PDB file of all heavy atoms in Angstrom:
ATOM      1  N   THR F 202      -7.362 265.882  32.042  1.00 93.00           N
ATOM      2  CA  THR F 202      -7.696 265.406  30.690  1.00 93.00           C
ATOM      3  C   THR F 202      -7.638 266.509  29.651  1.00 93.00           C
ATOM      4  O   THR F 202      -7.658 266.228  28.448  1.00 93.00           O
ATOM      5  CB  THR F 202      -9.107 264.792  30.674  1.00 93.00           C
ATOM      6  OG1 THR F 202     -10.060 265.808  31.006  1.00 93.00           O
ATOM      7  CG2 THR F 202      -9.206 263.655  31.687  1.00 93.00           C
ATOM      8  N   GLY F 203      -7.597 267.758  30.088  1.00 92.00           N
ATOM      9  CA  GLY F 203      -7.562 268.839  29.119  1.00 92.00           C
ATOM     10  C   GLY F 203      -7.291 270.180  29.765  1.00 92.00           C
ATOM     11  O   GLY F 203      -7.366 270.341  30.990  1.00 92.00           O
ATOM     12  N   VAL F 204      -6.960 271.145  28.923  1.00 92.00           N
ATOM     13  CA  VAL F 204      -6.741 272.531  29.337  1.00 92.00           C
ATOM     14  C   VAL F 204      -7.681 273.406  28.501  1.00 92.00           C
ATOM     15  O   VAL F 204      -7.719 273.284  27.275  1.00 92.00           O
ATOM     16  CB  VAL F 204      -5.280 272.963  29.131  1.00 92.00           C
ATOM     17  CG1 VAL F 204      -5.102 274.438  29.469  1.00 92.00           C
ATOM     18  CG2 VAL F 204      -4.352 272.113  29.988  1.00 92.00           C
ATOM     19  N   ALA F 205      -8.442 274.276  29.187  1.00 91.00           N
ATOM     20  CA  ALA F 205      -9.455 275.083  28.504  1.00 91.00           C
ATOM     21  C   ALA F 205      -9.147 276.562  28.670  1.00 91.00           C
ATOM     22  O   ALA F 205      -8.549 276.982  29.667  1.00 91.00           O
ATOM     23  CB  ALA F 205     -10.851 274.774  29.050  1.00 91.00           C
ATOM     24  N   ALA F 206      -9.556 277.334  27.689  1.00 88.00           N
ATOM     25  CA  ALA F 206      -9.375 278.781  27.749  1.00 88.00           C
ATOM     26  C   ALA F 206     -10.653 279.449  27.270  1.00 88.00           C
ATOM     27  O   ALA F 206     -11.390 278.908  26.441  1.00 88.00           O
ATOM     28  CB  ALA F 206      -8.195 279.211  26.877  1.00 88.00           C
ATOM     29  N   LEU F 207     -10.912 280.642  27.814  1.00 84.00           N
ATOM     30  CA  LEU F 207     -12.078 281.410  27.414  1.00 84.00           C
ATOM     31  C   LEU F 207     -11.892 281.955  25.999  1.00 84.00           C
ATOM     32  O   LEU F 207     -10.837 282.492  25.679  1.00 84.00           O
ATOM     33  CB  LEU F 207     -12.325 282.571  28.372  1.00 84.00           C
ATOM     34  CG  LEU F 207     -13.210 282.303  29.583  1.00 84.00           C
ATOM     35  CD1 LEU F 207     -13.230 283.523  30.492  1.00 84.00           C
ATOM     36  CD2 LEU F 207     -14.625 281.945  29.157  1.00 84.00           C
ATOM     37  N   ALA F 208     -12.916 281.813  25.187  1.00 80.00           N
ATOM     38  CA  ALA F 208     -12.865 282.376  23.849  1.00 80.00           C
ATOM     39  C   ALA F 208     -13.186 283.862  23.897  1.00 80.00           C
ATOM     40  O   ALA F 208     -13.886 284.331  24.798  1.00 80.00           O
ATOM     41  CB  ALA F 208     -13.859 281.649  22.947  1.00 80.00           C
ATOM     42  N   GLY F 209     -12.688 284.602  22.943  1.00 72.00           N
ATOM     43  CA  GLY F 209     -12.975 286.030  22.880  1.00 72.00           C
ATOM     44  C   GLY F 209     -12.094 286.833  23.822  1.00 72.00           C
ATOM     45  O   GLY F 209     -11.007 286.407  24.213  1.00 72.00           O
ATOM     46  N   GLU F 210     -12.580 288.035  24.217  1.00 71.00           N
ATOM     47  CA  GLU F 210     -11.785 288.958  25.018  1.00 71.00           C
ATOM     48  C   GLU F 210     -12.163 288.948  26.500  1.00 71.00           C
ATOM     49  O   GLU F 210     -11.710 289.800  27.256  1.00 71.00           O
ATOM     50  CB  GLU F 210     -11.949 290.379  24.470  1.00 71.00           C
ATOM     51  CG  GLU F 210     -11.475 290.525  23.028  1.00 71.00           C
ATOM     52  CD  GLU F 210     -11.660 291.934  22.507  1.00 71.00           C
ATOM     53  OE1 GLU F 210     -12.254 292.753  23.237  1.00 71.00           O
ATOM     54  OE2 GLU F 210     -11.218 292.205  21.374  1.00 71.00           O
ATOM     55  N   VAL F 211     -13.000 288.029  26.915  1.00 73.00           N
ATOM     56  CA  VAL F 211     -13.417 287.962  28.308  1.00 73.00           C
ATOM     57  C   VAL F 211     -12.260 287.492  29.175  1.00 73.00           C
ATOM     58  O   VAL F 211     -11.550 286.532  28.836  1.00 73.00           O
ATOM     59  CB  VAL F 211     -14.620 287.016  28.481  1.00 73.00           C
ATOM     60  CG1 VAL F 211     -15.026 286.936  29.941  1.00 73.00           C
ATOM     61  CG2 VAL F 211     -15.782 287.495  27.632  1.00 73.00           C
ATOM     62  N   GLU F 212     -12.047 288.198  30.288  1.00 76.00           N
ATOM     63  CA  GLU F 212     -11.010 287.816  31.238  1.00 76.00           C
ATOM     64  C   GLU F 212     -11.653 287.420  32.555  1.00 76.00           C
ATOM     65  O   GLU F 212     -12.685 287.971  32.949  1.00 76.00           O
ATOM     66  CB  GLU F 212     -10.025 288.962  31.463  1.00 76.00           C
ATOM     67  CG  GLU F 212      -9.245 289.353  30.216  1.00 76.00           C
ATOM     68  CD  GLU F 212      -8.257 290.467  30.495  1.00 76.00           C
ATOM     69  OE1 GLU F 212      -8.213 290.936  31.653  1.00 76.00           O
ATOM     70  OE2 GLU F 212      -7.526 290.848  29.568  1.00 76.00           O
ATOM     71  N   THR F 213     -11.045 286.472  33.242  1.00 81.00           N
ATOM     72  CA  THR F 213     -11.578 286.004  34.515  1.00 81.00           C
ATOM     73  C   THR F 213     -10.646 286.407  35.661  1.00 81.00           C
ATOM     74  O   THR F 213      -9.435 286.509  35.479  1.00 81.00           O
ATOM     75  CB  THR F 213     -11.746 284.475  34.527  1.00 81.00           C
ATOM     76  OG1 THR F 213     -10.468 283.869  34.303  1.00 81.00           O
ATOM     77  CG2 THR F 213     -12.713 284.025  33.460  1.00 81.00           C
ATOM     78  N   THR F 214     -11.233 286.643  36.810  1.00 82.00           N
ATOM     79  CA  THR F 214     -10.449 286.971  38.003  1.00 82.00           C
ATOM     80  C   THR F 214     -10.304 285.777  38.935  1.00 82.00           C
ATOM     81  O   THR F 214      -9.561 285.839  39.902  1.00 82.00           O
ATOM     82  CB  THR F 214     -11.124 288.119  38.774  1.00 82.00           C
ATOM     83  OG1 THR F 214     -12.467 287.754  39.105  1.00 82.00           O
ATOM     84  CG2 THR F 214     -11.143 289.387  37.942  1.00 82.00           C
TER      85      THR F 214
END
Side-chain angles (χ1 to χ4, degrees):
T202 63
V204 176
L207 271 174
E210 299 179 354
V211 179
E212 296 181 359
T213 60
T214 57

